[in-house]
Amino acid sequence: MRSYRSCLAALMLAATAACASAPEPAIPFADRLAAAEAVANPYETDAALTALLDDPKLKPAERAEALYRRGSLRRLAGDDRRGAVADLEAMLALAPEHQRAGQAQIELDLARSDLEALEPRLGYMLTLPQWFDVSWTLGEREVPARRYQKAGISPNETQTRKLTDAGFLCGPDGAGGPAQGAGDPRDWLDGLIWCNPQPDQAEAEADPAEAGS
């Protein structure tokens, strides 16, 4: 009897330990994808999809779906044509028979056409606002933002929204100086401050032709 009770106690302890150490149930991929796409703006969505794609446990079909979603986002709302081409190419290479492959090919062709039109413009004599728009749409972030900050020129309303959504313009907690530049005050810049001081390396990384000066 004592042996039976000892065995029973050992089994109960083992079961309790197994329950205590059982991992949390995995969140379904569809729910993780929906959460990534439910954030506030395209730049945050891009970051959330990037974090999802960093998961090495994704199945090939799941990774292909996430690549398609991020590539499609980057082609338009996410302002990253270079990234869109890279994502859509990777998606088609990974899963050429994926149910979204046909649409991905269409979007890839459109993104490539955008690149062919935009890339040469970086060599033109552009104003800073024009250069910012081209560079930003290609997927650059840090250098265009800091070029505006250092130049002391006010971004236009659309550029201000993008800079704010991407985390370069803050409210009163900013540490990089007022966003209002030379000239008349712009209503859309009221209360906005550059989030960080101008880093020295940003100008060194800028286009050597001094586009937008």
Side-chain angles (χ1 to χ4, degrees):
M1 179 64 72
R2 180 176 298 175
S3 176
Y4 170 77
R5 289 177 178 174
S6 298
C7 290
L8 181 59
L11 288 172
M12 292 179 66
L13 285 172
T16 301
C19 291
S21 61
E24 292 291 327
I27 300 174
F29 172 75
D31 292 345
R32 297 173 68 189
L33 188 62
E37 294 185 320
V39 296
N41 63 65
Y43 308 110
E44 291 184 8
T45 300
D46 189 305
L49 288 171
T50 298
L52 179 58
L53 283 162
D54 284 341
D55 183 357
K57 295 181 180 179
L58 289 182
K59 299 175 182 177
E62 295 172 341
R63 185 169 300 279
E65 180 69 21
L67 281 167
Y68 170 77
R69 299 291 185 99
R70 191 176 67 175
S72 185
L73 172 78
R74 288 176 167 181
R75 189 177 73 82
L76 293 175
D79 292 315
D80 185 357
R81 298 303 193 278
R82 290 170 178 158
V85 169
D87 280 351
L88 294 169
E89 286 179 342
M91 181 266 187
L92 288 169
L94 176 64
E97 303 301 322
H98 193 278
Q99 61 181 356
R100 294 187 184 273
Q103 180 62 26
Q105 185 62 60
I106 292 171
E107 296 197 43
L108 176 57
D109 292 342
L110 292 171
R112 285 172 173 165
S113 295
D114 288 344
L115 278 187
E116 291 175 2
L118 289 168
E119 292 277 10
R121 295 194 64 198
L122 290 177
Y124 297 172
M125 294 296 293
L126 302 175
T127 65
L128 176 53
Q130 290 170 336
W131 177 82
F132 175 95
D133 287 341
V134 174
S135 185
W136 190 273
T137 303
L138 286 170
E140 297 292 333
R141 295 291 179 263
E142 187 78 18
V143 172
R146 299 314 179 199
R147 178 71 70 82
Y148 244 131
Q149 181 183 3
K150 186 173 182 179
I153 298 174
S154 296
N156 65 36
E157 192 166 2
T158 299
Q159 293 167 344
T160 297
R161 175 181 53 78
K162 292 180 178 182
L163 286 163
T164 302
D165 287 348
F168 290 99
L169 287 173
C170 299
D173 55 340
Q180 292 278 2
D184 296 332
R186 278 71 167 179
D187 292 342
W188 57 85
L189 290 172
D190 284 348
L192 290 180
I193 295 174
W194 289 101
C195 298
N196 298 298
Q198 171 72 36
D200 294 338
Q201 69 271 21
E203 189 64 18
E205 294 169 358
D207 188 87
E210 293 297 321
S213 58

